Amino acid sequence: MKVSVVTRSGRELVNGGLDLGDSATVSDLQEEIHRRTKKYYPSRQRLTLPLPRGSTQKPTVLHYKKSLKEYTDGNKNELTIVFKDLGPQVKYSTLFFWEYVGPLFIYPLFYYMPIYKHFGHEGKRIIHPVQTYAMYYWCFHYAKRILETFFVHRFSHATSPVSNVFRNCAYYWSFAAFIAYFVNHPLYTPVSDVQMKIGFGFGLICQVCNFYCHILLRNLRGADGGGGYQIPRGFLFNIVTCANYTTEIYQWLGFNIATQTVAGYVFMVVAAAIMTNWALGKHRRLKKLFDGKEGRPKYPRRWVILPPFL
């Protein structure tokens, strides 16, 4: 099979094209492109079918497991592929590790180290019980996230652009310092003992629920992250499309009820806005895919992320 690989501008990426066997897969094509170009390893490649000039449709992205013959449209001997360089990539597990490990170590620095002396607070610092519990709660949350990254989550995409590491780390690490500064401040005024217990108790329940939601999502995918979109079922997923985001937001609500800082609530609102946008997109995709037509199941009526509001 003769495969011509062109860039989006129409320039040939590999002069003269590539000759592949009739049983070649998209993965074989990616490996051959890497061998011929050296620079573009498979996870850096995005391969699509060419669109007619002036078309506004989204191009068909080639799946690495499929045979190239499935994309030939009747012509078994020739195929033209459009190549896009996705830029340097990093594994999702690496991305998540670095964005979570920062908060795990930054927050305790404000609790244990004499940082506030550098901000003009020379007096003896009194550590309230809520500050200690908040530190344990925070570290438990991010340690849980790191462990889930390596032992629970299965990713539909193997890699992410390296630039996302810097963006995500800036987000998580700066908010960690922002919240830790105010919760551990020498002038911090704790809430009542009852409010603290209610907040942390509710938050811990939500953390456990969040973990179980991740287990259910893991079981929807194969070991290689494949399996395509499926209707999540069981537990809170029976009433909420993105129950994992719901429990994530509520666990930070519990933390903020117990600690009561503006910084904590700002973080929760920003995180909730981001996750709501993701949830709306996922809800729309699932409703479109599972429309009840041509034998496909119909997506059940559910809340998107935050019952009873959305």
Side-chain angles (χ1 to χ4, degrees):
M1 175 181 292
K2 186 75 171 181
V3 181
S4 299
V5 183
V6 299
T7 64
R8 291 189 294 175
S9 64
R11 179 181 62 84
E12 264 198 318
L13 181 71
V14 179
N15 292 332
L18 299 170
D19 291 308
L20 298 171
D22 290 341
S23 61
T25 64
V26 174
S27 180
D28 294 330
L29 172 60
Q30 290 177 317
E31 291 292 346
E32 186 63 17
I33 292 173
H34 181 212
R35 190 183 72 81
R36 294 287 295 273
T37 63
K38 306 300 182 186
K39 177 181 179 181
Y40 303 119
Y41 44 87
S43 61
R44 188 169 174 166
Q45 304 171 25
R46 181 176 184 264
L47 304 179
T48 61
L49 295 179
L51 288 173
R53 186 179 298 275
S55 175
T56 57
Q57 295 181 344
K58 290 185 178 180
T60 300
V61 180
L62 276 61
H63 192 278
Y64 74 100
K65 284 187 175 182
K66 289 189 175 183
S67 168
L68 288 172
K69 282 188 176 181
E70 295 184 44
Y71 298 103
T72 56
D73 193 26
N75 187 342
K76 302 297 183 183
N77 299 318
E78 294 185 2
L79 182 64
T80 299
I81 299 298
V82 179
F83 167 89
K84 179 183 178 181
D85 176 20
L86 297 176
Q89 300 286 299
V90 65
K91 289 183 178 179
Y92 264 101
S93 57
T94 302
L95 167 66
F96 285 174
F97 171 77
W98 283 110
E99 68 184 40
Y100 297 152
V101 77
L104 182 61
F105 286 97
I106 289 172
Y107 192 100
L109 291 177
F110 287 84
Y111 179 83
Y112 287 110
M113 303 299 290
I115 289 175
Y116 294 96
K117 289 183 178 180
H118 302 290
F119 295 96
H121 297 279
E122 298 292 343
K124 184 179 179 181
R125 176 178 162 225
I126 298 175
I127 299 178
H128 302 283
V130 65
Q131 293 172 311
T132 301
Y133 295 140
M135 192 269 294
Y136 290 149
Y137 183 101
W138 181 281
C139 291
F140 172 77
H141 171 75
Y142 281 101
K144 165 183 163 291
R145 280 194 167 190
I146 291 174
L147 291 173
E148 286 176 336
T149 295
F150 291 107
F151 300 108
V152 177
H153 294 322
R154 288 173 175 169
F155 305 103
S156 57
H157 299 287
T159 61
S160 172
V162 170
S163 58
N164 286 347
V165 176
F166 301 100
R167 183 196 65 187
N168 290 15
C169 285
Y171 170 79
Y172 280 101
W173 294 23
S174 59
F175 263 119
F178 183 44
I179 295 170
Y181 175 83
F182 287 102
V183 174
N184 296 289
H185 199 282
L187 300 180
Y188 173 78
T189 302
V191 299
S192 68
D193 191 57
V194 172
Q195 182 174 336
M196 177 190 71
K197 290 178 179 178
I198 291 173
F200 284 137
F202 175 72
L204 284 172
I205 291 172
C206 291
Q207 291 222 45
V208 173
C209 292
N210 180 257
F211 173 74
Y212 186 56
C213 287
H214 288 159
I215 294 293
L216 293 176
L217 290 176
R218 168 193 169 88
N219 293 336
L220 291 178
R221 296 189 181 278
D224 61 351
Y229 285 105
Q230 298 183 47
I231 298 177
R233 301 183 188 279
F235 193 45
L236 298 176
F237 286 109
N238 289 334
I239 57 174
V240 186
T241 292
C242 294
N244 52 319
Y245 297 156
T246 304
T247 51
E248 177 79 14
I249 294 169
Y250 284 154
Q251 71 186 11
W252 285 119
L253 177 61
F255 177 86
N256 286 318
I257 289 173
T259 55
Q260 204 74 26
T261 64
V262 172
Y265 279 110
V266 169
F267 174 64
M268 186 187 73
V269 169
V270 172
I274 293 171
M275 285 185 279
T276 298
N277 184 52
W278 293 343
L280 288 168
K282 183 174 183 179
H283 190 76
R284 284 192 294 265
R285 286 194 298 272
L286 289 172
K287 287 186 68 176
K288 184 177 180 180
L289 284 170
F290 301 103
D291 53 9
K293 300 176 181 179
E294 299 179 0
R296 293 183 293 270
K298 185 172 178 60
Y299 193 73
R301 184 177 177 84
R302 292 176 178 174
W303 300 104
V304 178
I305 183 173
L306 291 173
F309 308 107
L310 182 62

